[in-house]
Amino acid sequence: MTAGERYVVAGAALAVGLVIGWTLMATRTLDRASPFAQPIAATTGGGPAGGSILWVMSVGVSRYANSELNLEFANADAIAMADALRDAAKRGPYREVRTLVLTDEQVTRQSIIEGLSRFLGQAGPDDVALLFVAGHGVRDLASGSYYFLPNPATADNLLGDGLRMSDFDEMLRIVRRNVRSVIVMLDTCHA
């Protein structure tokens, strides 16, 4: 897939995600501070005074510890997706957009789990949480389980360093209990 085709796919996914999120969210005001988000998240205001917060966690791995696994666009896609959502949401119903972007060496099993629990876990009942993940995805032939490959993961350490879909599901179920809606976009094989 060419870079242009990837941008078309990303743009379409963005449009669908925003439509779904805007359709499902409420317009009540949620007024609370988030001291945790400051060190790891960029915060952008500019939306309406009364609206929800869009929480975006965007993850992309192009450079792996094992260079044979390297990809070309996953890290750039994660950055572009966060930027596009932040820019589009400024004109939409969100009063604020908070982003956490993890790329390449920042992407470990632990950093993803912490981002889901600590960053997206701050979202409130009127907020929308969005998770974008780009990189390698593999299916373990022995168990049939799907794994996302963070930076240090390989076929040899898949069970310890890979992130199994059931772990994603569990964390997203916890986030889902606290927010208006959750949007998940996976740009991986076997997703």
Side-chain angles (χ1 to χ4, degrees), residues 3-87:
E5 291 169 333
R6 291 181 67 83
Y7 285 115
V8 169
V9 170
L14 168 67
V16 169
L18 288 174
V19 168
I20 291 169
W22 288 335
T23 301
L24 297 175
M25 71 173 213
T27 57
R28 294 183 314 193
T29 301
L30 179 64
D31 188 19
R32 63 185 168 95
S34 178
F36 173 74
Q38 297 302 353
I40 63 169
T43 302
T44 305
S52 61
I53 298 172
L54 175 63
W55 296 80
V56 177
M57 182 173 164
S58 192
V59 177
V61 184
S62 289
R63 290 189 313 266
Y64 282 88
N66 176 353
S67 62
E68 292 178 12
L69 297 174
N70 285 352
L71 296 170
E72 204 168 331
F73 300 110
N75 57 0
D77 288 350
I79 294 167
M81 184 63 75
D83 289 345
L85 287 165
R86 187 173 30 250
D87 292 343

Side-chain angles (χ1 to χ4, degrees), residues 80-172:
M81 184 63 75
D83 289 345
L85 287 165
R86 187 173 30 250
D87 292 343
K90 283 183 202 176
R91 297 177 298 278
Y94 301 104
R95 70 176 163 95
E96 189 175 340
V97 179
R98 296 186 184 175
T99 60
L100 170 61
V101 178
L102 300 172
T103 60
D104 297 327
E105 294 81 13
Q106 297 172 323
V107 181
T108 64
R109 181 180 191 287
Q110 188 64 31
S111 70
I112 294 171
I113 290 171
E114 285 180 7
L116 288 167
S117 65
R118 293 178 62 196
F119 178 71
L120 292 183
Q122 296 176 81
D126 292 331
D127 296 345
V128 174
L130 186 141
L131 173 65
F132 174 79
V133 178
H136 281 296
V138 298
R139 198 168 286 289
D140 179 32
L141 297 177
S143 68
S145 296
Y146 163 82
Y147 286 84
F148 173 70
L149 295 185
N151 172 274
T154 65
D156 296 330
N157 65 11
L158 182 62
L159 297 178
D161 289 335
L163 185 59
R164 192 170 32 182
M165 182 52 78
S166 60
D167 295 332
F168 269 121
D169 288 343
E170 183 178 326
M171 294 305 301
L172 287 171

